[in-house]
Amino acid sequence: MRSLYLKISASIVLIPLILSCSSENSPKLSEQSLIPMPVSVTATDSVFELDENTAIYAQSGNEEVKNIAQYLADRLNPATGLDIEVKTANDASVAGSIHLTLTDADTTLGDEGYELTIATSGIKLLAHQPAGLFRGIQTLRQALPAAIEKSEKQSGPWRIPTGTVRDYPEYAYRGAMLDVARHFFSVEDVKRYIDLIASYKMNVLHLHLSDDQGWRIEIKSWPKLATYGGSTNVGGGKGGYYTQEQYSDLVNYAQSQYITIVPEIDMPGHTNSALASYPELNCNEKDPNPKLYEGIEVGFSTLCTSKELTYKFVDDVVRELAALTPGPYIHVGGDESHVTPMEEYIPFINRVQDIVQSHGKHMIGWDEVTNASLKPTSVAQYWAKAEYAQSAAKQGAKLIMSPAKYAYLDMQYDSTSKYGLHWAAYIELDSAYNWEPSTMVSGVSRKDILGVEAPIWTETIADMDALEYMAFPRLPGLAEIGWSPKSARDWTQYRDRLGKHGKRMEAMGIGYYPSKQVVWEK
Ligand code: NGO
């Protein structure tokens, strides 16, 4: 009774105080530097504050919602030190709490949309599907002070401006690609990258698992691929590979953040590591026993497309990978097969497409695969040639847009960048942001496009510091291209939001490139 009295009297005193500081000190919800920009934000001039009474209520009887609630608690507890608990909606509700609920009533939110309502009395997050709750939590994180991202207790206060965010993605596929073949990245590194892309509402991690320089996934029927083919990196070093258990661990980790893993085995080119492991897959008479390769040339290797053994190999690899991969896609590369004659390349890709389908998956390939006959369920990834993108659209296949000139995160920012290549372009933040998938290639329109993806190739990128420096802050810009409606995207306004977002990336421990194009708020 006494504590209730204290609480009531305290709130009578506190509410006017909070209200007054809201209008003077706190930004409005519509002024928060949210990235990607939501579909709609309506601010009401007040604040909600996390405190000792805050709990997270998950819809009862739904384990998945409970796990998402726990994910939110784990994001909030280190910095606030509040020990926010997860309860179920059956527990007596306390004012000042956060409620996560799935609703059948609001199907317009789709698979990933959400509605986040922040009031002084509490927070409600609604979605049609669990993934929507997860995406909405990313908005809630960004509506809190940047220090919420720190791993040690900070002083607070933990205020959120009130209002409503109603939001859903423009594109169904919003991906990042990580090349673990040129330089191997550990399971822990990949998990960190998953955490980072998830916070910008991306939903695909494409792993480039094989290339001339390394084979990074255990294939039980062809064991030397990993043990020998995975034993080096560009420039030397010990390389590495994921065991099937480790790969499954990554798949599950990604899944818990509503991210689909798309595994890529590049073929028929970019296969030197496989050819070195199993020379019988080769029919290059000049070099029948290729060695492991540590350089960065491309386009010199090919599987022997005229041998039946090659198709047994492809079938085994795709079968094992498909069994480990719950997502719908297997990426088969198909790029830069410069030493595979086109009359062999086309039937090879057609046959590989059938193999992928026979294992219950859809094929994705780099844009060159449009030389073959694509099924309408196959997807082409545009990176270089407009005519190939046009051919995909004509064939009725969907496209993932990754134009190297804008979307490649391994391109240098400018001529002084410490890492990266620049064969496609120097890509400063404005050009990384200022492109529009639906008008990029004439003959390719919105309806042909499944989504966007930001690849990072790792010829010059050997560790997480280099990776984060190249990916940030261009990756959040690409995430916005994929998520936000075209009408909500504007470079100068994005640049200002990004400037305020710098301290959040710092709190997340991201060593980003502090581009001079942006005024970074300290
Ligand atoms: C190209 C090439 C890759 C390189 C990358 C470097 C594609 C699809 N194939 O993109 O092998 O690593 O450029 O930027």
Side-chain angles (χ1 to χ4, degrees):
M1 193 59 197
R2 192 175 128 76
S3 71
L4 184 67
Y5 168 77
L6 279 179
K7 246 181 233 163
I8 292 170
S9 56
S11 36
I12 290 169
V13 180
L14 277 176
I15 287 170
L17 273 179
I18 290 171
L19 287 178
S20 64
C21 60
S22 79
S23 36
E24 283 160 32
N25 301 331
S26 312
K28 288 186 181 174
L29 191 59
S30 47
E31 291 157 6
Q32 292 291 91
S33 49
L34 300 175
I35 299 176
M37 184 68 179
V39 171
S40 107
V41 180
T42 318
T44 52
D45 285 309
S46 195
V47 290
F48 167 87
E49 187 166 342
L50 297 176
D51 63 22
E52 319 51 65
N53 293 322
T54 304
I56 303 171
Y57 290 87
Q59 188 170 19
S60 37
N62 189 322
E63 248 340 89
E64 202 172 345
V65 176
K66 207 170 159 202
N67 292 339
I68 296 170
Q70 189 56 51
Y71 166 91
L72 174 58
D74 293 344
R75 304 278 85 60
L76 302 180
N77 283 334
T80 63
L82 285 174
D83 259 331
I84 295 172
E85 277 182 60
V86 171
K87 303 187 174 179
T88 62
N90 290 338
D91 299 323
S93 172
V94 171
S97 287
I98 304 172
H99 290 259
L100 308 188
T101 315
L102 293 177
T103 168
D104 281 334
D106 199 342
T107 52
T108 56
L109 291 171
D111 290 346
E112 293 182 278
Y114 63 91
E115 188 175 273
L116 175 65
T117 309
I118 302 151
T120 44
S121 56
I123 295 181
K124 286 200 178 79
L125 179 56
L126 281 182
H128 183 49
Q129 294 293 335
L133 294 176
F134 188 85
R135 305 292 176 237
I137 285 173
Q138 309 315 319
T139 303
L140 183 55
R141 284 168 76 180
Q142 292 190 4
L144 278 155
I148 196 72
E149 298 300 335
K150 300 237 169 143
S151 46
E152 269 112 54
K153 190 168 187 272
Q154 309 293 309
S155 54
W158 303 103
R159 292 183 184 141
I160 309 179
T162 57
T164 301
V165 179
R166 213 184 137 76
D167 200 15
Y168 42 83
E170 175 66 22
Y171 289 101
Y173 184 116
R174 304 174 309 280
M177 187 213 80
L178 175 58
D179 170 10
V180 294
R182 271 52 178 273
H183 279 98
F184 182 64
F185 285 79
S186 69
V187 169
E188 284 319 303
D189 289 344
V190 178
K191 286 185 175 174
R192 159 101 176 142
Y193 206 53
I194 289 172
D195 292 344
L196 296 180
I197 71 172
S199 58
Y200 296 99
K201 303 189 174 74
M202 285 188 153
N203 64 0
V204 173
L205 177 67
H206 164 187
L207 288 174
H208 183 74
L209 289 168
S210 72
D211 213 302
D212 290 316
Q213 300 86 346
W215 185 285
R216 308 301 182 196
I217 175 80
E218 175 190 22
I219 299 294
K220 298 207 195 259
S221 52
W222 297 74
K224 279 188 289 181
L225 290 170
T227 54
Y228 183 67
S231 63
T232 191
N233 277 329
V234 165
K238 70 177 175 44
Y241 65 89
Y242 310 119
T243 63
Q244 294 201 349
E245 289 69 26
Q246 286 173 324
Y247 176 81
S248 294
D249 178 36
L250 283 176
V251 164
N252 293 336
Y253 189 80
Q255 182 52 46
S256 74
Q257 306 201 34
Y258 298 89
I259 288 178
T260 301
I261 298 278
V262 172
E264 176 185 352
I265 298 296
D266 206 343
M267 60 183 97
H270 288 278
T271 41
N272 183 77
S273 63
L275 302 174
S277 309
Y278 292 99
E280 59 271 38
L281 295 172
N282 186 14
C283 46
N284 179 355
E285 279 154 20
K286 277 187 246 145
D287 186 13
N289 281 302
K291 293 188 185 50
L292 292 173
Y293 179 67
E294 296 168 357
I296 65 166
E297 295 298 313
V298 294
F300 60 88
S301 57
T302 183
L303 293 171
C304 187
T305 56
S306 57
K307 274 192 193 168
E308 234 0 76
L309 181 69
T310 295
Y311 300 94
K312 161 114 180 57
F313 164 78
V314 174
D315 189 70
D316 286 340
V317 170
V318 172
R319 175 174 39 76
E320 289 194 34
L321 208 49
L324 296 166
T325 304
Y329 299 113
I330 301 283
H331 200 306
V332 302
D335 57 320
E336 299 175 320
S337 295
H338 301 324
V339 295
T340 324
M342 192 52 84
E343 60 277 17
E344 293 181 23
Y345 177 86
I346 291 171
F348 174 85
I349 295 293
N350 286 337
R351 204 163 156 187
V352 167
Q353 179 174 241
D354 288 340
I355 292 173
V356 170
Q357 294 248 330
S358 77
H359 294 292
K361 301 293 176 187
H362 303 310
M363 180 182 86
I364 307 182
W366 296 104
D367 59 30
E368 291 95 321
V369 298
T370 59
N371 283 300
S373 307
L374 295 186
K375 296 189 195 288
T377 50
S378 293
V379 177
Q381 185 163 10
Y382 168 62
W383 67 282
K385 273 209 183 162
E387 63 196 79
Y388 289 153
Q390 289 155 348
S391 163
K394 277 204 202 99
Q395 297 192 51
K398 292 274 183 284
L399 279 150
I400 297 165
M401 303 299 278
S402 302
K405 278 185 190 161
Y406 306 103
Y408 270 28
L409 301 177
D410 57 311
M411 289 299 119
Q412 293 178 308
Y413 294 99
D414 63 25
S415 61
T416 67
S417 295
K418 330 182 237 190
Y419 316 104
L421 306 170
H422 60 263
W423 66 264
Y426 291 116
I427 308 180
E428 250 295 353
L429 303 196
D430 55 352
S431 53
Y433 182 82
N434 255 333
W435 62 280
E436 167 51 38
S438 64
T439 53
M440 168 123 290
V441 178
S442 76
V444 171
S445 58
R446 174 65 187 85
K447 67 172 185 354
D448 304 312
I449 300 172
L450 183 63
V452 294
E453 188 177 285
I456 188 156
W457 303 93
T458 58
E459 288 95 331
T460 63
I461 297 164
D463 56 34
M464 281 310 273
D465 287 348
L467 181 70
E468 290 181 20
Y469 183 83
M470 295 306 280
F472 290 87
R474 289 181 291 196
L475 183 138
L478 186 118
E480 177 154 310
I481 296 175
W483 180 280
S484 306
K486 193 171 149 189
S487 58
R489 295 209 292 112
D490 170 72
W491 159 247
T492 47
Q493 187 251 64
Y494 171 72
R495 187 187 56 194
D496 295 345
R497 267 184 290 136
L498 188 60
K500 291 192 211 151
H501 195 82
K503 45 184 194 293
R504 189 169 302 272
M505 290 190 286
E506 263 164 53
M508 292 163 88
I510 301 173
Y512 64 92
Y513 160 66
S515 168
K516 292 201 179 68
Q517 292 188 332
V518 172
V519 180
W520 299 100
E521 200 175 273
K522 290 290 163 197

